[in-house]
């Protein structure tokens, strides 16, 4: 009896001390599922709306009591009695209740809390781990039935080493320099290598006179370096200092998050490089030069979210050499992904469930991307909690990579550690 008998939301706090929505879904069999909604800082324009109270007396207007009330008074009653196992039907009701393109009536944070808590309750009811339940859901959303059924698989971590942009007070223009331990034989080794590189990097930064211990929102170091390139140089040196081979054992990834330093005239202004402005074409030249120079195998949001022509040129230039990930560009939105596929833009999609607002829509985005041959990077937000849903999501949909942030701060480790448990299970 996995029919929903109660839905309850409360306001809790995330890793930045900002209120967020937690939802508990209880079924008639007594089983309960719980989920907490994450929150971004460098958000895309096309994302689902995060409903905040705007009541300045509480939490500087950042409270989510209205979203909580929308769950308790509207969304909960609407799904009452439905079977939690039928995620698509439940998400369809949530969408119907909101009935706006960006979930601006009830809040993407309200919808997603119910959607994810439902998945947890369904997995518990079916007595399977969440990643297996999600795998079952994504299989049923695949249109190509001739293919081998998709099996759960461990993703490679893409881990933040140096943080910049909106995540570390504007110390750098580019948002993240990350690493991926491509030749690690198993997941536990991935973690050991990542920690080793992270520690060596901290030592190198400290020895060079930077604060090699202060971290940004996602746990990456947040030093005030001389410029963006120095961040990549430090990470390349840290890989060597960890006695790993750059490019062979461990590769570098960038999240440029270029939308956030785009100017009104369409140029990109690099504040940490004496305000140098680059055209879209010059940004592409710059990124290509870095790919020639460093063991970079993945670049996310190398250009801004509406620079579709620039993205086409970028993809023509680098798309067969490296992974080009769309985050703000695609916002986990099936329609934007389809547009990207048609225009030949990018070759990889970042998946953040709260960008779209329901699990079913995220699984649709995943399916559309995969069927077009795009790789998948399941991602956390810069504002996170102890919730580990994305670890199960990444395994359940067999995403190639997972991007959780750095290897410190418990809201990040909760996911890395959940992946360790899952890897034993697999
Ligand atoms: P956000 O950052 O959660 O602040 O959007 C993560 C990212 O850009 O990948
Ligand atoms: Zn990003």
């Amino acid at each position: 009896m996995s029919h929903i008998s109660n839905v309850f939301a409360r306001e809790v706090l995330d890793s930045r001390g900002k209120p967020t929505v937690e939802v508990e879904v209880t079924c008639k069999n007594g089983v309960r599922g719980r989920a907490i909604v994450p929150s971004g800082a460098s958000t895309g324009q096309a994302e689902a709306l995060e409903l905040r109270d705007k009541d300045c007396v509480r939490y500087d207007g950042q409270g989510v009591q209205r979203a909580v009330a929308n769950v308790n008074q509207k969304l909960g009653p609407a799904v009452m009695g439905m079977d939690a196992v039928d995620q698509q039907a439940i998400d369809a009701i949530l969408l119907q209740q909101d009935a706006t393109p960006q979930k601006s009536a009830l809040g993407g944070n309200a919808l997603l809390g119910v959607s994810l808590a439902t998945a947890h309750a369904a997995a518990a009811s079916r007595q399977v781990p969440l990643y297996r339940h999600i795998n079952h859901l994504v299989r049923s959303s695949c249109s190509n039935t001739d293919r081998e059924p998709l099996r759960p698989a461990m993703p490679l971590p893409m881990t933040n080493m140096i943080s910049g942009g909106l995540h570390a007070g504007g110390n750098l223009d580019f948002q993240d320099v990350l690493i991926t331990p491509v030749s690690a034989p198993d997941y536990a080794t991935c973690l050991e290598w990542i920690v080793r590189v992270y520690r060596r990097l901290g030592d190198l930064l400290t020895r060079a006179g930077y604060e090699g211990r202060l971290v940004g929102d996602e746990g990456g170091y947040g030093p005030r370096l001389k410029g963006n390139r120095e961040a990549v140089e430090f990470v390349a040196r840290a890989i060597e200092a960890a006695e790993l081979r750059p490019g062979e054992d461990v590769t570098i990834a960038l999240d440029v998050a270029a939308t956030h330093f785009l100017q009104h005239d369409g140029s990109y202004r690099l504040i940490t490089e004496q305000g140098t402005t680059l055209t879209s074409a010059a940004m592409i030249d710059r990124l290509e030069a870095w790919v020639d120079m460093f063991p970079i195998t993945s670049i996310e949001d190398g250009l801004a979210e509406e620079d579709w022509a620039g993205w086409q040129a970028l993809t023509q230039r680098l798309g067969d050499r490296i992974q080009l990930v769309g985050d703000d560009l695609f916002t986990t939105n099936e329609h934007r992904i389809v547009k990207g596929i048609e225009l030949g833009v990018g070759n990889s999609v970042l998946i953040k469930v709260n960008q779209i607002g329901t699990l079913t829509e995220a699984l649709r985005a995943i399916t559309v991307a995969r069927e077009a041959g795009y790789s998948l990077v399941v991602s956390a937000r810069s504002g996170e909690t102890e919730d580990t849903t994305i670890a199960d999501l990444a395994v359940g949909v067999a995403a190639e990579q997972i991007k959780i942030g750095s290897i410190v701060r418990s809201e990040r480790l909760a996911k890395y550690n959940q992946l360790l448990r899952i890897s034993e299970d697999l």
Side-chain angles (χ1 to χ4, degrees):
M1 287 294 281
S2 46
H3 294 83
I4 295 175
S5 60
N6 192 39
V7 177
F8 179 73
R10 63 170 69 85
E11 187 184 65
V12 297
L13 296 178
D14 74 10
S15 55
R16 282 190 278 244
K18 254 172 100 170
T20 189
V21 179
E22 173 172 274
V23 178
E24 288 173 0
V25 166
T26 311
C27 298
K28 288 203 178 115
N29 55 16
V31 157
R32 198 176 57 177
R34 184 167 67 201
I36 314 179
V37 178
S39 171
S42 78
T43 50
Q45 280 292 321
E47 290 193 22
L49 176 96
E50 198 176 79
L51 187 67
R52 300 222 171 249
D53 296 339
K54 304 213 172 82
D55 154 15
C56 294
V57 179
R58 293 183 74 249
Y59 293 113
D60 297 326
Q62 300 290 319
V64 291
Q65 287 182 329
R66 286 199 290 149
V68 163
N70 288 341
V71 173
N72 290 334
Q73 291 161 21
K74 294 181 180 145
L75 298 173
V79 299
M80 202 61 66
M82 292 180 76
D83 189 349
V85 169
D86 196 351
Q87 185 78 38
Q88 279 192 16
I90 287 176
D91 287 342
I93 294 291
L94 300 179
L95 293 177
Q96 214 179 63
Q97 289 288 311
D98 180 84
T100 66
Q102 281 179 267
K103 282 103 185 163
S104 51
L106 301 178
N109 42 354
L111 271 73
L112 186 68
V114 179
S115 184
L116 294 183
T118 296
H120 279 274
S125 290
R126 295 180 58 218
Q127 298 184 311
V128 295
L130 181 61
Y131 72 87
R132 290 213 182 271
H133 177 59
I134 290 176
N135 182 255
H136 162 80
L137 293 176
V138 78
R139 279 194 202 193
S140 46
S141 83
C142 288
S143 52
N144 188 344
T145 45
D146 305 337
R147 266 208 223 144
E148 271 278 291
L150 185 75
R151 293 192 191 293
M154 292 298 292
L156 260 179
M158 186 193 271
T159 302
N160 198 338
M161 294 285 121
I162 291 185
S163 293
L166 295 174
H167 295 168
N171 56 330
L172 298 169
D173 305 286
F174 287 19
Q175 188 175 281
D176 313 317
V177 183
L178 313 98
I179 60 164
T180 301
V182 284
S183 78
D186 51 45
Y187 178 72
T189 310
C190 284
L191 291 192
E192 198 270 317
W193 287 10
I194 292 166
V195 169
R196 210 197 301 169
V197 176
Y198 185 81
R199 294 234 172 103
R200 293 299 98 83
L201 176 61
D203 296 341
L204 288 173
L205 289 169
T206 306
R207 252 183 275 138
Y210 294 113
E211 275 91 5
R213 289 291 176 270
L214 300 186
V215 302
D217 286 355
E218 297 192 348
Y221 298 115
R224 287 202 174 272
L225 300 176
K226 292 187 197 81
N228 302 299
R229 179 170 151 175
E230 198 184 12
V232 188
E233 287 167 352
F234 264 112
V235 172
R237 283 169 52 205
I239 297 169
E240 283 175 352
E243 294 179 5
L244 294 161
R245 293 166 303 170
E248 287 167 67
D249 294 324
V250 177
T251 65
I252 295 179
L254 303 177
D255 182 0
V256 178
T259 303
H260 302 282
F261 52 88
L262 178 75
Q263 304 301 295
H264 290 300
D265 64 1
S267 67
Y268 296 90
R269 181 151 189 263
L270 302 171
I271 306 214
T272 61
E273 298 180 20
Q274 292 80 46
T276 306
T277 53
L278 299 178
T279 60
S280 192
M283 269 292 279
I284 297 172
D285 290 341
R286 148 85 64 110
L287 295 174
E288 184 180 38
W290 284 16
V291 170
D292 291 338
M293 221 176 315
F294 299 106
I296 294 173
T297 50
S298 178
I299 298 179
E300 178 179 329
D301 285 352
L303 295 170
E305 64 197 5
E306 294 302 338
D307 189 357
W308 294 93
W311 264 96
Q312 274 181 314
L314 173 67
T315 309
Q316 276 157 21
R317 192 85 71 84
L318 288 178
D320 54 9
R321 292 180 66 190
I322 63 163
Q323 177 174 267
L324 295 170
V325 192
D327 169 15
D328 293 347
L329 176 75
F330 292 135
T331 55
T332 317
N333 182 315
E334 182 186 349
H335 306 293
R336 291 182 70 90
I337 296 168
V338 167
K339 178 175 174 181
I341 293 165
E342 282 167 7
L343 292 174
V345 153
N347 54 27
S348 180
V349 178
L350 202 80
I351 298 292
K352 290 168 165 168
V353 275
N354 81 321
Q355 283 182 322
I356 190 67
T358 63
L359 180 57
T360 300
E361 289 169 291
L363 295 180
R364 279 294 307 154
I366 284 168
T367 300
V368 164
R370 170 166 285 123
E371 287 178 355
Y374 280 47
S375 63
L376 298 167
V377 184
V378 168
S379 174
R381 300 307 307 240
S382 50
E384 274 291 338
T385 66
E386 65 273 28
D387 183 284
T388 58
T389 309
I390 61 159
D392 287 77
L393 175 66
V395 174
V397 305
E400 283 80 358
Q401 292 135 84
I402 186 164
K403 179 176 175 238
I404 302 169
S406 203
I407 200 75
V408 295
R409 297 185 57 138
S410 289
E411 79 278 6
R412 314 284 147 193
L413 272 312
K415 282 83 158 163
Y416 285 111
N417 290 341
Q418 171 70 356
L419 285 167
L420 266 176
R421 294 177 203 109
I422 297 175
S423 73
E424 288 168 8
D425 202 26
L426 287 178

